[in-house]
C-alpha cells in the first residue's frame, strides 16, 4: 500500500473508532440521562403508545381504563372509573402533566416495559399479539372506600382503614377529591382543569390520608397509655394515679386544662374514657421523654420510609423537647403530628395484640394474561406492646365506646366489640382556627379484628363548639367498620 492510501486508511480507521466510542458512550453512559430528560417527548409518547394495564381493587373490579385519541402523538389516554373516589389510591397519569402515586410507581408494569414482562413481549413478537401493560391488584375494598367517601361527603378530611392482621390497606379516602380523567389528555380543556386544580385553595390534589400531618389531639393518648404500660409506670389500669387537680406542667406554673370532670387521681382507664388531659400529662412525665419517644417510634412515628408503596409523610414525636413540652405532646399537642395512616396503625397494633404489621396496598402485580409476577407477603413492622398490655389497652378503648359516659358512643355497633378514642385537636395561632375532629377505632369479632380505622375532619359546617371527634368523626369510622364486617360476613 502506498503512503497516501495508508494515511487515508488510518484516518478512516480513526473515524470508525471515534464513532464506536461515541455510540457506546451514548448507549451505556448517557442513555439513562437522555431517556429521562424533560425535553425528550419520545419517552412520554412511548408511555401512551400502548394500552396501559389496569389498577384493580378487591373483588377484581378495574378502576382505570384507556381510550384511543385522535389528532395527537399519543395513541391512548388514561380513563378512570369513579375518579374522585379512587384518586387517593391511583394518583393520575396525564399526557401533559406527568403521573403520581400508583400510576407513577408502577408505571413500568402498567406500560408493559417492566423487565419481568420480557417473556410476554417476546412471545407476542411471534404470535402477533400487540404489546399490553400488566395490572396492579390492590388491597382496597370498594365497600369500605365508598362508605368512607359517602360519610365524609362535603367535609374536608381523610380516612385510612387497615386490616390489623396483615397490614392490608382497605380504604384510603381524601376529600375534597378530584377526577384524574379531567386532565388525562393534553388539550386546552385538560390544561384548564389542571390549572384550576393545582391552584385550588381546597388542595384537592393533596392526599390527606398519606401526605398531610395533623396534631392528633387526644387520640395520641392511646400511645401515651401504651408507653405507661410498657415502661411499668402503670401496671393496674384501674388503680388511682397520683394526678392532682390542677396539674401543673412540670417545672412551670401553667395548669393543664381539663375539659372532663373527675380527673383528680383518676385511673388510667377512666382517664381514657373521658379524656383527662392532666392524667396523661402526668403519666408521660413519669415515663420520661426518651421512653415516650421509644414507644412512639415503635408505632411508626419519626419514620420517613413508610412505603405503601406510595410513601407516607413522617409523623412526628419531637426528639429534642423539654419536660413540659413532653407532657403537652403526650396529649397530642405541641409538635406532635400524625397522618391518618399513622393513627390507623396505632389502632391496628392495639387490636392485633401488640403486633404492628407493615401497611401495604398492592397485593399483586400481574402480566397481561393475569399470570402473577409478584405477590406481597405481609410483614411484621414492630411490636410496640406486649400481648398482655395490648389487651389492657383494648379494655380501655372498648370502655371509651361502650361505657355510657365514654366519648366514643357513636361508633358502637350492635353485636360487635368496638374500641375507640376521640380527639379534638386545637391548632392555629392561639388555637383560633376551627379544631380538627379525630377518631381512631377497631372492630373485633370471634374471628379476630378485621379492621382498624382513623378519621380526621379538618373543617365542617358545624359550629366550633359542636366540633368533636365523637360527634363528627366517629360516625364515619362506624360506617367503614360496618362495611368491612358486612363484606367479610
Amino acid at each position: 500500500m502506498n503512503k497516501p492510501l495508508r494515511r487515508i486508511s488510518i484516518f478512516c480507521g480513526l473515524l470508525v473508532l471515534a464513532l464506536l466510542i461515541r455510540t457506546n458512550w451514548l448507549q451505556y453512559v448517557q442513555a439513562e440521562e437522555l431517556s429521562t430528560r424533560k425535553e425528550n417527548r419520545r419517552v412520554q409518547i412511548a408511555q401512551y403508545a400502548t394500552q396501559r394495564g389496569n389498577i384493580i381493587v378487591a373483588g377484581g373490579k378495574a378502576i382505570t381504563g384507556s381510550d384511543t385519541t385522535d389528532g395527537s402523538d399519543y395513541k391512548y389516554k388514561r380513563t378512570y372509573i369513579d375518579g374522585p373516589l379512587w384518586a387517593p389510591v391511583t394518583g393520575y397519569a396525564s399526557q401533559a402533566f406527568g403521573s403520581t402515586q400508583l400510576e407513577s410507581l408502577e408505571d413500568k408494569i402498567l406500560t408493559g416495559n417492566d423487565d419481568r414482562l420480557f417473556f410476554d413481549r417476546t412471545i407476542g413478537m411471534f404470535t402477533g399479539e400487540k404489546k399490553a401493560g400488566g395490572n396492579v391488584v390492590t388491597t382496597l375494598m370498594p365497600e369500605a372506600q365508598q362508605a368512607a367517601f359517602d360519610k365524609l361527603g362535603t367535609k374536608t378530611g381523610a380516612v385510612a382503614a387497615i386490616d390489623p392482621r396483615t397490614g392490608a390497606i382497605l380504604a384510603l379516602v381524601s376529600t375534597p377529591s378530584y377526577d384524574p380523567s379531567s386532565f388525562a389528555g393534553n388539550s386546552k380543556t385538560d390544561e384548564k382543569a389542571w390549572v384550576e386544580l393545582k391552584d385550588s385553595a381546597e388542595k384537592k390534589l393533596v392526599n390527606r390520608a398519606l401526605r398531610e400531618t395533623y396534631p392528633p389531639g387526644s387520640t395520641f393518648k392511646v400511645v401515651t397509655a401504651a408507653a405507661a404500660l410498657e415502661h411499668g409506670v402503670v401496671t393496674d389500669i384501674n388503680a388511682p394515679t397520683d394526678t392532682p387537680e390542677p396539674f401543673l406542667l412540670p417545672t412551670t406554673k401553667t395548669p393543664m386544662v381539663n375539659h372532663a370532670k373527675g380527673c383528680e387521681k383518676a385511673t388510667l382507664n377512666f382517664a381514657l374514657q373521658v379524656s383527662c388531659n392532666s392524667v396523661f400529662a402526668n403519666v408521660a412525665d413519669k415515663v420520661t421523654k426518651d421512653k415516650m419517644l421509644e414507644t412512639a417510634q415503635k408505632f411508626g412515628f419519626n419514620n420517613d420510609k413508610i412505603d405503601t408503596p406510595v410513601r407516607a409523610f413522617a409523623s412526628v414525636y419531637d426528639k429534642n423537647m423539654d419536660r413540659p413540652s413532653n407532657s403537652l405532646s403526650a396529649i397530642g399537642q405541641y409538635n406532635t403530628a400524625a397522618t391518618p395512616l399513622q393513627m390507623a396503625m396505632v389502632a391496628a397494633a392495639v387490636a392485633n395484640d401488640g403486633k404492628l404489621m407493615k401497611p401495604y396496598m398492592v397485593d399483586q402485580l400481574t402480566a397481561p394474561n393475569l399470570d402473577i409476577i409478584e405477590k406481597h407477603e405481609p410483614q411484621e413492622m414492630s411490636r410496640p406492646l406486649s400481648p398482655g398490655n395490648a389487651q389492657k389497652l383494648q379494655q380501655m378503648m372498648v370502655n371509651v365506646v361502650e361505657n355510657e359516659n365514654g366519648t366514643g358512643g357513636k361508633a358502637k355497633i350492635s353485636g360487635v366489640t368496638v374500641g375507640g378514642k376521640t380527639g379534638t385537636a386545637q391548632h392555629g395561632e392561639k388555637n383560633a382556627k376551627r379544631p380538627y375532629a379525630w377518631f381512631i377505632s377497631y372492630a373485633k369479632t370471634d374471628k379476630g379484628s378485621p379492621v382498624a380505622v382513623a378519621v380526621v375532619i379538618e373543617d365542617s359546617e358545624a359550629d366550633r363548639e359542636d366540633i368533636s371527634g365523637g360527634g363528627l368523626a366517629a360516625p364515619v369510622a362506624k360506617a367503614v367498620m360496618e362495611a368491612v364486617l358486612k363484606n367479610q360476613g
Side-chain angles (χ1 to χ4, degrees):
M1 185 181 294
N2 60 36
K3 194 172 182 178
L5 278 176
R6 189 165 61 249
R7 286 179 175 172
I8 290 171
S9 298
I10 292 171
F11 179 69
C12 289
L14 290 172
L15 287 179
V16 170
L17 182 62
L19 185 61
L20 286 172
I21 292 172
R22 179 61 177 163
T23 303
N24 280 278
W25 178 263
L26 289 173
Q27 185 73 28
Y28 297 106
V29 179
Q30 287 194 302
E32 180 71 18
E33 180 193 342
L34 292 172
S35 65
T36 56
R37 287 179 69 162
K38 289 182 180 176
E39 299 84 355
N40 186 358
R41 291 186 67 244
R42 291 184 180 181
V43 176
Q44 210 164 357
I45 291 170
Q47 203 173 8
Y48 295 98
T50 57
Q51 210 163 359
R52 284 173 78 84
N54 280 319
I55 297 174
I56 296 169
V57 295
K61 178 187 174 185
I63 54 174
T64 56
S66 294
D67 274 350
T68 54
T69 56
D70 297 321
S72 167
D73 292 333
Y74 305 105
K75 187 173 180 181
Y76 291 98
K77 185 175 82 167
R78 197 54 149 167
T79 60
Y80 296 88
I81 300 166
D82 294 329
L85 173 65
W86 293 108
V89 177
T90 60
Y92 57 80
S94 167
Q95 294 171 350
F97 307 108
S99 57
T100 60
Q101 301 196 107
L102 289 186
E103 290 280 29
S104 174
L105 292 167
E106 305 294 356
D107 184 67
K108 286 188 176 180
I109 286 290
L110 293 168
T111 56
N113 290 327
D114 192 281
D115 290 343
R116 290 168 290 182
L117 297 175
F118 174 79
F119 184 72
D120 293 82
R121 293 196 298 269
T122 305
I123 293 293
M125 289 171 63
F126 292 102
T127 61
E129 287 184 14
K130 291 181 179 177
K131 179 184 169 188
N135 302 300
V136 177
V137 182
T138 72
T139 58
L140 277 295
M141 184 182 289
E143 297 84 354
Q145 186 82 1
Q146 191 71 57
F149 190 74
D150 290 346
K151 270 291 181 181
L152 280 176
T154 58
K155 302 179 188 75
T156 300
V159 173
I162 296 175
D163 184 336
R165 302 165 298 186
T166 61
I169 295 175
L170 305 174
L172 201 70
V173 170
S174 177
T175 56
S177 188
Y178 63 95
D179 186 355
S181 297
S182 66
F183 58 96
N186 64 353
S187 67
K188 289 290 182 187
T189 305
D190 292 290
E191 183 179 0
K192 183 183 176 189
W194 168 255
V195 170
E196 286 178 358
L197 275 171
K198 185 169 65 68
D199 297 336
S200 165
E202 299 167 302
K203 299 197 297 183
K204 293 182 179 181
L205 289 171
V206 173
N207 184 339
R208 291 177 166 84
L210 296 180
R211 302 183 66 81
E212 191 80 283
T213 58
Y214 305 87
S218 293
T219 57
F220 191 82
K221 289 171 182 168
V222 173
V223 177
T224 304
L229 291 167
E230 281 297 290
H231 295 290
V233 171
V234 175
T235 53
D236 182 354
I237 60 173
N238 293 311
T241 61
D242 62 352
T243 309
E245 183 68 29
F247 173 78
L248 303 181
L249 288 173
T251 73
T252 77
K253 294 182 180 179
T254 305
M256 173 63 83
V257 175
N258 276 321
H259 301 290
K261 294 180 179 177
C263 295
E264 184 174 9
K265 297 182 179 179
T267 68
L268 200 64
N269 196 3
F270 181 79
L272 195 78
Q273 177 190 319
V274 299
S275 209
C276 293
N277 291 336
S278 57
V279 172
F280 287 92
N282 180 27
V283 162
D285 188 53
K286 294 181 186 303
V287 172
T288 74
K289 184 258 291 180
D290 288 344
K291 289 180 179 174
M292 280 293 298
L293 179 63
E294 178 188 322
T295 298
Q297 291 188 161
K298 283 184 179 177
F299 276 107
F301 282 79
N302 298 335
N303 185 341
D304 60 0
K305 293 181 181 174
I306 296 178
D307 298 328
T308 66
V310 178
R311 180 161 289 185
F313 275 7
S315 298
V316 177
Y317 194 78
D318 198 314
K319 296 180 179 178
N320 301 305
M321 56 190 162
D322 55 19
R323 278 183 63 190
S325 301
N326 180 52
S327 286
L328 279 172
S329 296
I331 64 165
Q333 298 289 348
Y334 188 59
N335 286 341
T336 309
T339 61
L341 177 71
Q342 171 62 73
M343 295 313 297
M345 289 164 61
V346 170
V350 175
N352 198 34
D353 288 343
K355 185 192 293 184
L356 176 60
M357 302 300 289
K358 184 179 178 184
Y360 68 99
M361 68 168 124
V362 174
D363 183 49
Q364 296 176 7
L365 301 177
T366 71
N369 62 3
L370 303 182
D371 284 349
I372 297 173
I373 58 176
E374 183 179 311
K375 179 164 177 59
H376 182 88
E377 293 297 331
Q379 300 171 29
E380 183 178 329
M381 186 169 163
S382 63
R383 295 206 181 203
L385 280 162
S386 69
N389 285 334
Q391 284 154 17
K392 288 179 182 175
L393 199 42
Q394 287 172 22
Q395 290 176 40
M396 294 164 64
M397 291 179 71
V398 169
N399 206 28
V400 170
V401 176
E402 298 291 337
N403 193 294
E404 62 179 12
N405 295 320
T407 55
K410 290 192 175 179
K412 196 182 297 184
I413 300 173
S414 179
V416 177
T417 301
V418 176
K421 181 69 192 86
T422 55
T424 306
Q426 307 291 339
H427 69 110
E429 191 173 347
K430 296 183 179 178
N431 295 330
K433 294 187 177 180
R434 292 155 80 92
Y436 299 135
W438 276 95
F439 192 73
I440 63 172
S441 63
Y442 66 86
K444 202 162 191 173
T445 68
D446 54 2
K447 298 176 183 174
S449 178
V451 58
V453 189
V455 178
V456 65
I457 296 176
E458 284 187 32
D459 203 355
S460 71
E461 295 176 355
D463 292 337
R464 182 185 176 90
E465 291 73 21
D466 295 332
I467 295 175
S468 69
L472 289 178
V476 180
K478 178 183 177 180
V480 176
M481 291 188 290
E482 285 180 325
V484 174
L485 292 166
K486 186 177 179 182
N487 181 271
Q488 298 196 347

